Amino acid sequence: MHTISYVTVDVFTSARFEGNPLAVISDARGLTDAEMQKIATEFNYSEVTFVLPPEDPENSARVRIFTPTMEIPFAGHPNVGTAYVLGQRAEIFGKPVGDRLRFEEEAGIVEVSLKRSGGRVTATAIRAPQPLTIGDTIAEETIARCVTLDPGVIVTTTHAPVFASVGLNFAVAELNGLETLAAARPNLAGFQAAAGRQATSGHDFSLFLYARTSADPWHIRARMFAPLDNVPEDPATGSASAALAAYLVSLAPDAEMNIRITIEQGVEMGRRSVIALDVAKSAGIVTDVVISGSCVPVMRGEILLQD
């Protein structure tokens, strides 16, 4: 019987059964692309990662990330969770594990640092693999139709709804408060129509909504919807959080900034996640985005590939 081992972790949380679950196949050698996709579909998590030996021996591993429907070039919680799992090991493909890892991914090299206590990894931090890019703006009516809201609840004081990316593209939009954010309900027809019109996203239309207060603008509550990717709602989306954080810092009037931004997500789902983002800005340009969070191990087992 051909089997392959997996572990799952809850990411961006220190409480088991909260945060965003992730399955990690820590040795995916021998799996075909089709098998990886079937495994990801079977788990039906927002993402599953498959770890392979690096193409460049200077790096730690090659990491492939699959949603239930497709492979994607980068994502936040899969990297944080995969780094946590691999960081518990003495070695990765024969190389000792230190406190820094480098993952080869389609979007580029993802640099990882591990925080340890008593010899165990307690948190991981990853650096966004690409600089901030901003795509087309999106009509308020399009956003509102996707989540069954009135267009008037969309705040455009700081920015219009827009595509943003630091490795994976998302539509981002601000709402006028937590009650409005809680009232959002994904409308599949709205997402299908939005995806048919957009041309700047490298994957199906995924929408990151957020709300914040003027008293504490760097503490943000967010929700992410991607029903076209079989993810009606995601409890924690590091790549979207990083894109939003970078974009908001780019819009701030200060030319020089080093700021910690906290994004809470998954609250409305009963899976609260806390995503920390450290953003650096120099001469008016965002130069660095680091995504960090804690993880909790949940399950381990074997996948039966054939009898």
Side-chain angles (χ1 to χ4, degrees):
M1 182 176 289
H2 184 198
T3 64
I4 193 161
S5 298
Y6 72 88
V7 297
T8 77
V9 290
D10 287 339
V11 183
F12 292 125
T13 181
S14 55
R16 190 169 285 111
F17 310 127
E18 294 188 11
N20 200 353
L22 173 75
V24 180
I25 314 301
S26 55
D27 186 351
R29 287 177 290 187
L31 289 178
T32 66
D33 292 4
E35 287 172 328
M36 291 182 193
Q37 185 62 74
K38 286 179 179 179
I39 290 168
T41 303
E42 181 74 14
F43 272 104
N44 205 34
Y45 290 171
S46 54
E47 285 103 3
V48 175
T49 59
F50 299 85
V51 184
L52 297 159
E55 295 179 355
D56 182 344
E58 293 299 311
N59 299 323
S60 307
R62 181 182 174 210
V63 177
R64 299 181 66 180
I65 305 169
F66 284 77
T67 76
T69 64
M70 69 178 72
E71 184 174 10
I72 56 175
F74 169 73
H77 108 274
N79 274 294
V80 169
T82 301
Y84 174 85
V85 169
L86 297 181
Q88 310 287 352
R89 298 175 169 234
E91 59 179 39
I92 307 171
F93 301 119
K95 291 178 61 176
V97 177
D99 291 333
R100 296 193 177 277
L101 304 173
R102 285 169 57 89
F103 293 160
E104 298 172 352
E105 298 182 16
E106 188 178 328
I109 298 296
V110 176
E111 298 179 355
V112 181
S113 59
L114 306 176
K115 182 179 179 181
R116 299 180 188 271
S117 177
R120 295 185 61 83
V121 177
T122 56
T124 64
I126 65 168
R127 179 165 276 109
Q130 295 180 6
L132 172 68
T133 56
I134 302 302
D136 297 338
T137 58
I138 308 160
E140 291 101 296
E141 292 77 12
T142 298
I143 300 294
R145 194 176 303 117
C146 284
V147 285
T148 326
L149 294 174
D150 186 278
V153 303
I154 296 168
V155 177
T156 58
T157 327
T158 303
H159 65 88
V162 68
F163 288 107
S165 173
V166 290
L168 188 64
N169 217 20
F170 291 87
V172 297
E174 183 176 1
L175 300 183
N176 65 359
L178 292 181
E179 288 187 7
T180 302
L181 187 66
R185 296 292 182 271
N187 170 20
L188 184 59
F191 276 88
Q192 289 169 332
R197 282 193 293 270
Q198 58 95 11
T200 58
S201 178
H203 62 134
D204 288 333
F205 190 90
S206 298
L207 176 57
F208 196 60
L209 300 177
Y210 72 98
R212 57 180 179 162
T213 65
S214 56
D216 192 3
W218 302 116
H219 189 105
I220 294 167
R221 175 83 67 81
R223 298 177 72 183
M224 201 288 283
F225 304 97
L228 299 181
D229 208 15
N230 282 0
V231 182
E233 183 169 359
D234 195 26
T237 317
S239 48
S241 296
L244 173 64
Y247 185 41
L248 292 177
V249 170
S250 77
L251 296 173
D254 312 69
E256 310 289 328
M257 290 180 72
N258 282 281
I259 191 161
R260 163 66 65 96
I261 299 171
T262 301
I263 295 184
E264 287 185 90
Q265 194 179 331
V267 174
E268 294 77 8
M269 302 173 66
R271 295 196 66 104
R272 179 175 177 265
S273 305
V274 180
I275 303 167
L277 301 125
D278 293 291
V279 184
K281 182 180 181 183
S282 178
I285 304 295
V286 172
T287 56
D288 196 28
V289 184
V290 174
I291 311 158
S292 59
S294 300
C295 299
V296 183
V298 179
M299 294 186 290
R300 64 178 66 247
E302 291 184 328
I303 299 166
L304 311 179
L305 293 175
Q306 61 186 38
D307 293 330

Coordinates of all heavy atoms in Angstrom, one line a residue, residues 18-19 39 64 85 95 97 103 149 159 172 180 199 220 242 256 286 291:
E18 N -8.8 27.1 16.4 CA -9.0 28.5 15.9 C -8.0 28.7 14.8 O -7.3 27.8 14.4 CB -8.9 29.5 17.1 CG -10.0 29.3 18.1 CD -9.9 30.5 19.2 OE1 -9.2 31.5 18.9 OE2 -10.7 30.3 20.2
G19 N -7.9 30.0 14.3 CA -7.0 30.2 13.2 C -7.4 29.5 12.0 O -8.5 29.1 11.8
I39 N -5.3 15.7 -3.5 CA -5.1 15.7 -2.1 C -5.6 17.0 -1.5 O -6.3 17.0 -0.5 CB -3.6 15.5 -1.7 CG1 -3.2 14.0 -2.0 CG2 -3.4 15.8 -0.2 CD1 -1.8 13.7 -2.0
R64 N 5.2 24.0 -2.8 CA 4.1 24.2 -3.7 C 2.8 24.3 -2.9 O 2.6 23.5 -2.0 CB 4.0 23.0 -4.7 CG 5.3 22.9 -5.6 CD 5.2 21.8 -6.6 NE 4.2 22.1 -7.6 CZ 3.9 21.3 -8.7 NH1 4.6 20.1 -8.8 NH2 3.0 21.6 -9.5
V85 N 6.1 23.7 10.8 CA 6.2 22.2 10.8 C 7.6 21.8 10.5 O 8.2 20.9 11.2 CB 5.3 21.6 9.7 CG1 5.6 20.1 9.5 CG2 3.8 21.8 10.1
K95 N 19.6 18.4 5.3 CA 20.3 19.6 5.7 C 19.8 20.0 7.1 O 18.6 20.0 7.4 CB 20.1 20.8 4.7 CG 20.7 20.6 3.4 CD 20.4 21.8 2.5 CE 20.9 23.1 3.0 NZ 20.6 24.2 2.1
V97 N 18.3 22.1 10.2 CA 17.4 23.2 10.3 C 17.9 24.2 11.3 O 18.1 23.9 12.4 CB 16.0 22.7 10.7 CG1 15.0 23.9 10.9 CG2 15.4 21.7 9.7
F103 N 12.4 29.3 1.1 CA 11.5 28.5 0.3 C 11.5 29.0 -1.1 O 11.3 30.2 -1.4 CB 10.1 28.5 0.9 CG 9.9 27.9 2.2 CD1 8.8 28.2 3.0 CD2 10.9 27.0 2.7 CE1 8.7 27.6 4.3 CE2 10.7 26.4 4.0 CZ 9.6 26.7 4.8
L149 N -24.2 43.7 -0.2 CA -24.3 44.9 0.6 C -24.7 46.1 -0.3 O -24.6 45.9 -1.5 CB -22.9 45.2 1.2 CG -22.4 44.2 2.3 CD1 -21.0 44.6 2.7 CD2 -23.3 44.2 3.5
H159 N -8.9 55.0 -0.1 CA -8.7 54.4 -1.4 C -10.0 53.8 -2.0 O -10.9 53.4 -1.2 CB -7.6 53.4 -1.4 CG -8.0 52.2 -0.6 ND1 -8.6 51.1 -1.1 CD2 -7.8 51.8 0.7 CE1 -8.8 50.2 -0.2 NE2 -8.3 50.6 0.9
V172 N -9.2 44.5 -2.7 CA -9.4 44.9 -1.3 C -10.3 46.1 -1.3 O -10.3 47.0 -2.2 CB -8.0 45.3 -0.7 CG1 -7.1 44.1 -0.6 CG2 -7.3 46.4 -1.5
T180 N -21.2 46.3 9.5 CA -21.3 46.1 8.0 C -20.4 44.9 7.6 O -20.9 44.1 6.8 CB -20.8 47.3 7.3 OG1 -21.7 48.5 7.7 CG2 -21.0 47.1 5.8
A199 N -9.0 41.7 -15.1 CA -8.0 41.2 -15.9 C -6.6 41.2 -15.3 O -5.6 40.9 -15.9 CB -7.9 42.0 -17.2
I220 N -6.8 46.3 12.5 CA -7.8 46.1 11.4 C -8.6 44.8 11.6 O -8.0 43.8 12.1 CB -7.1 46.1 10.1 CG1 -6.5 47.5 9.8 CG2 -8.0 45.7 8.9 CD1 -5.5 47.5 8.7
A242 N -0.9 41.1 4.0 CA 0.4 41.8 3.6 C 0.2 42.8 2.5 O 0.7 43.9 2.5 CB 1.4 40.7 3.2
E256 N 8.9 58.1 5.6 CA 9.7 57.1 6.3 C 8.8 56.4 7.4 O 8.3 57.2 8.3 CB 11.0 57.7 7.0 CG 11.8 58.5 6.1 CD 12.5 57.7 5.0 OE1 12.9 56.6 5.3 OE2 12.8 58.2 3.9
V286 N 7.3 51.5 -0.1 CA 7.3 50.3 0.8 C 8.4 49.4 0.4 O 8.5 48.9 -0.8 CB 6.0 49.6 0.8 CG1 6.0 48.3 1.6 CG2 4.9 50.5 1.4
I291 N 5.3 39.0 7.5 CA 4.1 38.4 8.0 C 4.5 37.4 9.1 O 5.3 36.5 8.9 CB 3.3 37.7 6.9 CG1 3.2 38.6 5.7 CG2 2.0 37.2 7.4 CD1 3.0 37.8 4.4

